[in-house]
Amino acid sequence: MENAKSRVEIYNEDYVGLNHAYVQMYKFYNKLLECSDADEEVLAVMREILLVYNPTLDRIKSEMTIKTRYKEEPASKSAASVAANGTEGTASASSSNKSSSPVILYGNFTGE
């Protein structure tokens, strides 16, 4: 097991997939909440999964390396795209739509 990866390496590689799975389950749960004949047992199980899954994803993310957690675009890339496109509006419009800080959304799965 000399080539075994560390926990952080695995977190870095697989977090995006895990987060995507969480989002898919959350969307599924919300759709079930809206249907008139939802199976209460399925809803309860999905709620329990999401209640445990969300803080687990947060824990995984907290142990990831900083380089992996945030995708940063170098400032020179914006200048290069302006030079390549010949227009400043394209680069400034794309950079103005981006938030400078990450947004974390939390769901209320308790039904309260």
Side-chain angles (χ1 to χ4, degrees), residues 6 10 13 16 19 24 33 38-39 43-44 52-53 56 63 73-74 78 83 89 95 97 102 107 110:
S6 72
I10 294 169
E13 292 173 2
V16 172
N19 191 57
Q24 291 301 112
L33 283 175
D39 185 327
L43 279 172
V52 174
Y53 204 174
T56 303
E63 292 189 33
E73 293 184 19
S78 297
S95 63
N97 291 338
T110 61

Side-chain angles (χ1 to χ4, degrees), residues 20-74:
H20 179 71
Y22 173 84
V23 169
Q24 291 301 112
M25 286 190 291
Y26 182 77
K27 287 178 180 179
F28 175 77
Y29 176 77
N30 277 327
K31 286 180 185 178
L32 281 180
L33 283 175
E34 295 174 2
C35 76
S36 60
D37 61 345
D39 185 327
E40 290 301 320
E41 186 176 340
V42 172
L43 279 172
V45 170
M46 293 302 296
R47 184 173 32 254
E48 293 299 318
I49 291 169
L50 292 169
L51 283 169
V52 174
Y53 204 174
N54 191 18
T56 303
L57 281 175
D58 290 343
R59 180 175 179 160
I60 290 169
K61 189 172 184 178
S62 74
E63 292 189 33
M64 291 169 63
T65 58
I66 298 297
K67 180 179 175 183
T68 309
R69 267 193 263 175
Y70 302 103
K71 183 177 180 181
E72 295 182 17
E73 293 184 19

